[in-house]
Amino acid sequence: QVQLVESGGGLVQAGGSLRLSCAASGRTFNIYAMGWFRQAPGKEREFVAAIRRSGGNTFYADSLKGRFTISRDNAKNTVYLQMNSLKPEDTAAYYCAATRGAALSRPGNYDYWGQGAQVTVSS
């Protein structure tokens, strides 16, 4: 089993940056692909980014390409989400998740989830 804990959320002005971290427990972190999702109030959870086990392949929601960057450090059992040029519409709870599956943009494909980190972008 994997436990995931997000950190790094907070309040930022539009145009600013934040970096989210997701620390995983256990010694099997590198067998999981990792994803970031977000959910705004009243909306469905949506895919943000994902990264394969080795970190060699990354995937992004089309609308976020160029502003968000996902990375991982398997030695530290941690995955990151660097968010730049933030907009008020990026305001949401951000969740990291782990999967051994292949369909990385689908929330239902993930086995483990963190508790979420709130990101609020003021205009």
Side-chain angles (χ1 to χ4, degrees):
Q1 191 162 351
V2 177
Q3 291 185 326
L4 304 172
V5 179
E6 300 98 336
S7 61
L11 174 65
V12 64
Q13 288 188 331
S17 298
L18 280 176
R19 188 176 81 155
L20 301 180
S21 300
C22 173
S25 65
R27 294 178 289 180
T28 58
F29 177 70
N30 61 359
I31 70 172
Y32 292 94
M34 300 297 295
W36 285 97
F37 293 79
R38 68 185 184 184
Q39 188 167 18
K43 295 187 177 181
E44 293 187 352
R45 190 165 296 189
E46 65 172 347
F47 172 71
V48 173
I51 187 167
R52 293 226 183 264
R53 295 179 298 172
S54 65
N57 295 95
T58 57
F59 308 88
Y60 297 92
D62 288 342
S63 62
L64 300 176
K65 286 180 181 177
R67 294 197 298 123
F68 287 17
T69 303
I70 188 171
S71 61
R72 67 189 294 164
D73 185 337
N74 286 344
K76 295 183 178 179
N77 282 12
T78 302
V79 62
Y80 305 97
L81 184 69
Q82 178 67 43
M83 304 182 292
N84 298 328
S85 302
L86 283 162
K87 304 175 182 180
E89 51 264 42
D90 294 320
T91 295
Y94 284 72
Y95 299 88
C96 71
T99 180
R100 297 192 67 180
L104 299 183
S105 66
R106 299 177 184 175
N109 193 47
Y110 285 77
D111 305 303
Y112 303 102
W113 290 84
Q115 83 289 351
Q118 180 65 36
V119 171
T120 302
V121 184
S122 63
S123 57

